[in-house]
Amino acid sequence: MDRDASIEQVAGILVREDLQFQMAPEGDGYRLLFGSAAVFVAFLPWREGVSITVSAPILSDIDPEAPGAAVALNRLNELNLSHRFLKFVFDDGTLVAIYDLLGDRLQAEELLNAVYVVAAAADHLDDELILEMGGKRFEDVLEEIGEALEAEDEEAEDEEER
């Protein structure tokens, strides 16, 4: 299956499951919101087919110079051992949960399992780990973006009035 067909198939599965999602601006992925977490579905070429990566940032903006970054690195093995099918990575100040699938013969149950497992882990772990690691939950990041957009809108309105 090619990448575009895989993107369409996943959209169909999400729609049939009545899950609300947004498409990435480039049209090459999806975002689903669950509680304080967001799950991203991305598509990459892999061998002769497609790899589907379902991921969620658990905490972002973890200060690399603060003790929270060391805690994140020290907890990776524990997280990877205690969450079957998930892998956890700490990259550029962000702790991420990841679940990879092959898109060539994707079944709806496989995709939905990946989405729900990643969402549950991220929504639970962000609350549990924020006190140890610092950083921000995805909902905090969305709130900051919303506030910044509101400020930009107000600024644009003020300039129009002048």
Side-chain angles (χ1 to χ4, degrees):
M1 180 178 297
D2 72 1
R3 188 169 164 264
D4 291 337
S6 188
I7 290 170
E8 289 178 20
Q9 179 189 18
V10 167
I13 293 168
L14 297 175
V15 167
R16 281 192 302 279
E17 188 67 16
D18 259 347
L19 291 171
Q20 300 295 315
F21 62 95
Q22 295 83 37
M23 181 176 272
E26 301 83 23
D28 61 350
Y30 303 109
R31 180 185 74 184
L32 300 93
L33 300 177
F34 293 91
S36 60
V39 173
F40 295 88
V41 182
F43 304 83
L44 297 168
W46 190 73
R47 295 188 180 172
E48 300 297 315
V50 178
S51 167
I52 300 171
T53 299
V54 178
S55 65
I58 297 168
L59 294 170
S60 61
D61 293 339
I62 298 171
D63 182 355
E65 303 300 319
V71 171
L73 289 170
N74 286 330
R75 296 283 305 269
L76 282 178
N77 279 344
E78 174 192 331
L79 291 169
N80 283 313
L81 289 171
S82 63
H83 291 83
R84 188 174 300 276
F85 306 114
L86 291 179
K87 61 184 171 188
F88 292 85
V89 297
F90 183 63
D91 183 38
D92 198 25
T94 302
L95 179 64
V96 182
I98 301 171
Y99 192 127
D100 288 316
L101 300 161
L102 293 174
D104 297 343
R105 292 189 175 95
L106 181 67
Q107 297 178 17
E109 294 79 20
E110 290 175 307
L111 175 69
L112 295 172
N113 183 61
V115 167
Y116 291 131
V117 165
V118 169
D123 193 37
H124 169 75
L125 288 170
D126 62 0
D127 292 329
E128 178 183 318
L129 298 175
I130 195 165
L131 296 176
E132 294 178 52
M133 296 179 189
K136 299 175 186 168
R137 295 175 189 90
F138 191 81
E139 73 178 349
D140 301 331
V141 172
L142 276 183
E143 189 174 303
E144 287 179 6
I145 291 169
E147 290 170 2
L149 290 174
E150 284 178 19
E152 285 179 19
D153 289 345
E154 288 175 11
E155 193 174 296
E157 287 175 9
D158 290 345
E159 286 190 29
E160 284 179 14
E161 289 176 3
R162 292 182 203 162

